Amino acid sequence: MKTDKNSSLTGRDIDKIIKNVLYFLSMEKERINNLNVFPVPDGDTGLNMTLTIQGALDSLRNFDIETLSAEDYLKRFSEGIVFNSRGCSGVILALYSQGLVESLLANGLSYNSIRFALQNGYEKAFKETINPKEGTILTLMRVLYERFNEIAAEDGSKPVQTLRKTIPFLREALDRTPEMLPILKEAGVVDSGAMGFLVIIEGIAIELEDKGLSKSQLMTVAHTLLINKYIRYLILKKRLRKKNRLLKTVISNVSLININNISLLGTLQLFNNFLKDIGNENIVKQILKRSDELQSSWNPPIENKYCTEFVLESDRIVRQDLEKELERFGDSLLLISFKKGYKVHIHTNNPKLVLTTCAKWGKITSSKIDNMKKQHRNLVCDDKTAYAKENAILVIVNGKGFAEILEGLGATDALVYGKVKPSVKDIQKALDRTRAKNIIVAADDSDISMALNSAITLSKSNVELIPTKDIISVISVMYAHSSAYDIIQNAREMRNNLNNIKFIKISKSTRDFSQNGQTVDKSDFFALYKKQIIFSSLLLEETITHSIDIVRDDETLVTLYGGKMEKNREKLLNILRKEFTDIDFELYEGGQDRYNYYITFE
């Protein structure tokens, strides 16, 4: 959008700018993810920064944006970004935004106040980041306010022009981040959080100038490490025999223009020199040294594997005491203070102990726990999954009708199987297809649990398993799901709601058998309640009618879920309504293969 000296920004204007900048950032999030090596190479910086801004925007949905002033919008956005911040870079971005907005609200939206706000944003982010480092997002925040002030003092440009003039300095600072942080230099990348911040600033400048944003590409970490591995292999073979010639040709013809990894670029240049002088041991030593550094930088030991974030609502502990208390649980600790308490970010091996400890001082909300070892494996493997969302609920069910019912209750994804239960590979693919960082999964058959547990160990996401044993318990736990809860709260509530629905199952016997003195003949229909046969008959309607009469207490709603084999369901429904005039009946297509009907009582 265009601005001039006679126009003033409204809440609607700012909202439009931020939404478009979010779109630009989301376009670049995979590029940013593939730079993520500090503090832990878990490959989610781009996603976390995107979700941080997205969460802040989502928090404004309950307000009428059209009527909000710029000041009101910024205040609510600042609150929203704190509560919804994700990961180290997301939390630092939230701190920066908080400082920026505090200054603007205190001093107004003039040109001079912007200069002070940029400085205040950086200083708040720097001061409240425990163990701050140069060569990170903080460096670009500092360079932005320093250069903005210098340019404004020198030529008096308009704010938009001044911001645009800072961008070359930000790019230069980004290029220097590997020199400031050795782990970045070893990995051959610039800092991912700093790159994300640059994308945001570029997006704001472009939005204010009403221009489009070009999209750039970056080779994935998986490809980088693969090429590095093959170069090392060829170097150690030395003679480059016939069977290695194709591989040598492919590696030597990789376009250097498409290589954004600094270390890999240098290694490829050395490799091309090696091909001209195969006997040069000095070049061999240089390549192997570079190869080792690149490989080790993307495969460090992750001492504290759970990235844990939550909000502590409390006025019973001061920031310094909370910081001292939490430092013993891990590293990468970040705290954001707000009027009701603190937003906490920490890497730890004991996330539940951290939450339990903090619960002594107040209320825990918005908790999130990510397994960074799984995220790291996702980042460096060839079949990497690109996360598209934060949370998902996957249900594994027999019957298309049940899948649709559960999706109506809040399930985001469904794996529908037939007479053959899903394999480990089937479930792993279904988990990957969700493209979510965190997944709650529930299956309608306990026989699936072994394959499901195996698939979870192979998944690149963090998975919370709900121990459901049948389709009705899956429906029961979905009633406990709430979009207002985070994944940890949802999993806890769902586990507490496993067996809250009374039900019976109706099936047709394929052989003669007996159970606890109850004889069932082949082709009889029989009813199961709490794993016990309560009635059987050659007639389906009679079996269902008598079973309802046996099981019902004072319930007024009975729901029937018909199996794939049942075609004349309306006739049965009419019979039941005549027989039980004091009960409301509902009928749905479950589509299951094994049971003719599931019948629930509420």
Side-chain angles (χ1 to χ4, degrees):
M1 59 174 289
K2 293 180 179 179
T3 61
D4 57 53
K5 63 182 179 180
N6 297 316
S7 67
S8 59
L9 289 174
T10 65
R12 182 178 179 275
D13 294 332
I14 298 173
D15 186 68
K16 182 180 177 182
I17 292 170
I18 294 175
K19 283 178 178 176
N20 286 336
V21 170
L22 174 63
Y23 172 72
F24 298 152
L25 181 63
S26 66
M27 285 172 56
E28 297 287 347
K29 70 176 183 295
E30 284 306 310
R31 179 183 180 211
I32 298 165
N33 286 344
N34 280 304
L35 297 171
N36 187 191
V37 70
F38 178 82
V40 176
D42 49 358
D44 65 352
T45 294
L47 179 64
N48 282 336
M49 295 182 80
T50 302
L51 290 172
T52 294
I53 298 175
Q54 179 64 65
L57 289 172
D58 288 344
S59 70
L60 284 153
R61 286 181 177 176
N62 295 327
F63 298 96
D64 183 0
I65 303 299
E66 299 293 329
T67 62
L68 283 181
S69 66
E71 291 81 359
D72 286 340
Y73 183 95
L74 288 172
K75 181 179 179 181
R76 288 174 172 81
F77 180 85
S78 174
E79 293 170 351
I81 201 170
V82 168
F83 278 100
N84 293 280
S85 54
R86 295 285 186 268
C88 288
S89 293
V91 172
I92 294 173
L93 182 63
L95 285 166
Y96 180 81
S97 300
Q98 194 180 51
L100 191 86
V101 171
E102 284 174 356
S103 180
L104 289 174
L105 293 178
N107 302 305
L109 299 178
S110 67
Y111 190 9
N112 282 333
S113 70
I114 293 174
R115 297 166 60 180
F116 293 124
L118 293 175
Q119 181 173 352
N120 195 60
Y122 162 71
E123 288 178 350
K124 185 174 185 65
F126 185 87
K127 288 176 182 176
E128 297 204 21
T129 297
I130 298 163
N131 192 25
K133 299 278 188 180
E134 285 293 338
T136 65
I137 187 174
L138 291 167
T139 297
L140 264 72
M141 290 173 175
R142 174 178 54 76
V143 170
L144 175 61
Y145 98 74
E146 289 176 346
R147 293 303 183 186
F148 192 96
N149 282 344
E150 288 174 6
I151 294 167
E154 287 172 2
D155 61 16
S157 300
K158 295 179 181 179
V160 176
Q161 296 171 336
T162 304
L163 183 66
R164 177 169 50 80
K165 290 178 180 180
T166 66
I167 289 174
F169 296 103
L170 294 177
R171 289 175 181 158
E172 181 184 343
L174 177 67
D175 290 340
R176 291 200 314 270
T177 56
E179 301 302 322
M180 303 178 200
L181 211 53
I183 191 171
L184 299 177
K185 189 171 185 178
E186 291 174 9
V189 293
V190 295
D191 182 69
S192 56
M195 170 63 84
F197 185 75
L198 174 59
V199 169
I200 291 170
I201 299 303
E202 285 181 326
I204 292 172
I206 289 163
E207 269 301 291
L208 293 172
E209 291 184 328
D210 200 24
K211 295 181 180 180
L213 185 72
S214 61
K215 184 178 179 182
S216 56
Q217 299 293 327
L218 181 70
M219 182 176 289
T220 67
V221 174
H223 292 156
T224 297
L225 296 180
L226 192 63
I227 292 174
N228 183 62
K229 173 184 174 182
Y230 286 145
I231 289 174
R232 183 181 182 85
Y233 169 79
L234 291 171
I235 286 292
L236 292 174
K237 290 297 179 182
K238 291 186 179 180
R239 295 181 181 177
L240 302 177
R241 295 171 183 169
K242 286 184 179 180
K243 66 178 182 179
N244 298 321
R245 285 179 184 170
L246 177 60
L247 183 58
K248 180 205 75 172
T249 301
V250 171
I251 298 297
S252 61
N253 283 283
V254 171
S255 174
L256 300 184
I257 296 175
N258 295 326
I259 302 296
N260 292 62
N261 185 289
I262 304 164
S263 286
L264 182 62
L265 182 62
T267 303
L268 279 167
Q269 291 169 334
L270 283 171
F271 181 72
N272 289 332
N273 293 337
F274 167 76
L275 294 178
K276 299 172 185 176
D277 187 8
I278 291 179
N280 191 323
E281 289 298 324
N282 185 43
I283 295 178
V284 170
K285 288 179 182 178
Q286 289 183 60
I287 292 176
L288 292 178
K289 183 175 182 294
R290 280 177 171 268
S291 173
D292 288 341
E293 290 174 349
L294 179 59
Q295 189 67 38
S296 63
S297 65
W298 286 103
N299 191 32
I302 299 177
E303 295 180 3
N304 295 290
K305 70 176 183 177
Y306 294 104
C307 177
T308 304
E309 296 175 351
F310 57 93
V311 170
L312 171 61
E313 296 181 11
S314 174
D315 58 1
R316 292 156 47 195
I317 185 168
V318 298
R319 189 181 190 280
Q320 291 81 357
D321 291 343
L322 180 61
E323 180 181 324
K324 184 177 179 181
E325 184 71 23
L326 291 177
E327 280 181 328
R328 63 192 176 95
F329 289 112
D331 54 33
S332 298
L333 176 62
L334 292 167
L335 296 175
I336 305 180
S337 307
F338 62 100
K339 60 184 178 181
K340 291 184 178 180
Y342 308 91
K343 173 66 186 274
V344 180
H345 169 283
I346 186 172
H347 294 174
T348 178
N349 285 322
N350 297 291
K352 291 182 180 178
L353 184 57
V354 170
L355 294 172
T356 303
T357 300
C358 288
K360 295 185 298 185
W361 299 305
K363 182 181 179 182
I364 300 291
T365 61
S366 305
S367 57
K368 180 182 73 72
I369 301 172
D370 289 339
N371 186 326
M372 294 185 296
K373 285 193 175 181
K374 283 194 173 185
Q375 292 179 334
H376 174 257
R377 184 175 69 191
N378 177 26
L379 178 68
V380 301
C381 72
D382 293 328
D383 59 339
K384 85 185 286 287
T385 298
Y387 296 129
K389 52 182 178 283
E390 180 78 7
N391 299 321
I393 297 179
L394 170 67
V395 291
I396 303 172
V397 294
N398 173 230
K400 185 178 179 182
F402 275 125
E404 293 173 352
I405 291 167
L406 291 164
E407 286 169 353
L409 292 174
T412 57
D413 301 85
L415 170 58
V416 181
Y417 66 93
K419 294 181 179 179
V420 179
K421 292 182 176 65
S423 65
V424 172
K425 187 175 182 180
D426 293 332
I427 299 172
Q428 182 190 355
K429 286 182 177 179
L431 290 167
D432 288 345
R433 277 196 300 269
T434 67
R435 297 182 65 197
K437 284 177 64 180
N438 304 290
I439 307 170
I440 290 177
V441 62
D444 67 353
D445 193 325
S446 57
D447 288 347
I448 298 173
S449 60
M450 187 174 292
L452 181 51
N453 279 303
S454 297
I456 288 172
T457 63
L458 300 172
S459 173
K460 304 175 187 71
S461 302
N462 306 307
V463 182
E464 291 281 344
L465 174 60
I466 311 300
T468 47
K469 297 181 179 180
D470 50 64
I471 186 60
I472 304 305
S473 61
V474 177
I475 292 174
S476 181
V477 299
M478 286 306 302
Y479 280 136
H481 166 263
S482 170
S483 58
Y485 294 160
D486 59 53
I487 194 166
I488 305 300
Q489 291 171 302
N490 266 319
R492 182 174 61 246
E493 293 300 318
M494 292 167 84
R495 290 189 183 104
N496 292 336
N497 211 57
L498 269 171
N499 302 302
N500 285 5
I501 300 177
K502 183 165 72 175
F503 71 99
I504 58 177
K505 298 184 284 190
I506 307 294
S507 187
K508 188 174 184 179
S509 178
T510 58
R511 58 181 175 83
D512 297 340
F513 72 95
S514 297
Q515 184 193 75
N516 296 332
Q518 179 80 40
T519 300
V520 179
D521 296 329
K522 182 179 180 180
S523 298
D524 274 0
F525 292 95
F526 63 95
L528 284 168
Y529 177 60
K530 295 183 177 179
K531 300 183 179 180
Q532 300 296 317
I533 295 172
I534 58 171
F535 189 82
S536 65
S537 168
L538 189 61
L539 300 175
L540 176 62
E541 292 84 356
E542 183 181 13
T543 303
I544 293 175
T545 302
H546 278 75
S547 300
I548 291 175
D549 198 35
I550 293 169
V551 171
R552 67 172 291 209
D553 290 315
D554 56 355
E555 295 90 358
T556 58
L557 174 63
V558 173
T559 305
L560 293 90
Y561 300 93
K564 190 182 294 184
M565 71 292 290
E566 292 302 321
K567 305 300 180 185
N568 198 7
R569 302 187 186 104
E570 289 301 324
K571 177 184 175 182
L572 171 64
L573 199 58
N574 290 332
I575 292 172
L576 293 173
R577 284 172 175 162
K578 289 179 182 178
E579 182 71 23
F580 303 99
T581 57
D582 59 336
I583 295 178
D584 289 328
F585 287 92
E586 292 183 354
L587 177 63
Y588 296 95
E589 179 184 353
Q592 68 272 16
D593 287 281
R594 183 175 177 185
Y595 293 101
N596 299 70
Y597 284 96
Y598 286 91
I599 304 173
T600 64
F601 300 79
E602 298 173 73

